[in-house]
Amino acid sequence: NNKHKGTYITKEKESDNVENNNIYYDKLGLESNEIPTQAELKKQFLKLSTKYHPDKHPGEVDKYTNLFQEINEAYKIILKYHYKTTQNHLYK
């Protein structure tokens, strides 16, 4: 019985408004006064996600899991805001 299938719809958060919230740029180490190209955004995301991946810090998994998730969220929000895409796969 798939009664609940499809009922989980992600709603856009108020914090998805990038213009008013430079925290996402800060998390990715980007300048908030410039719009990054998709290539620059992807490069910075990959650099930070590799550096802060929880597997590279086995002694502090919880801390780095949170950092990794914040970086991932910031990447998706900036990508969606500037490029109107919710592309989940980095290599498309």
Side-chain angles (χ1 to χ4, degrees):
N1 186 329
N2 289 335
K3 188 169 122 179
H4 297 290
K5 188 173 183 181
T7 59
Y8 300 105
I9 298 170
T10 307
K11 292 185 178 178
E12 193 170 311
K13 299 178 205 165
E14 286 181 32
S15 60
D16 284 359
N17 185 350
V18 176
E19 285 180 339
N20 296 330
N21 203 339
N22 293 334
I23 192 168
Y24 300 113
Y25 287 95
D26 292 342
K27 286 180 184 179
L28 291 175
L30 297 168
E31 294 293 324
S32 60
N33 59 347
E34 296 176 14
I35 297 174
T37 65
Q38 282 183 282
E40 290 169 339
L41 186 56
K42 187 185 296 185
K43 181 180 177 182
Q44 189 65 9
F45 168 75
L46 290 172
K47 177 182 167 185
L48 291 176
S49 63
T50 301
K51 180 178 178 181
Y52 293 114
H53 197 282
D55 289 350
K56 292 199 171 198
H57 306 277
E60 298 177 283
V61 173
D62 290 342
K63 174 185 174 185
Y64 284 95
T65 297
N66 288 336
L67 282 169
F68 185 78
Q69 289 171 343
E70 289 175 8
I71 291 165
N72 193 31
E73 179 187 34
Y75 170 73
K76 286 182 177 182
I77 288 172
I78 293 173
L79 184 69
K80 180 174 144 187
Y81 184 80
H82 289 300
Y83 297 103
K84 307 299 183 221
T85 180
T86 55
Q87 149 187 12
N88 288 324
H89 197 280
L90 293 170
Y91 302 105
K92 284 185 180 177

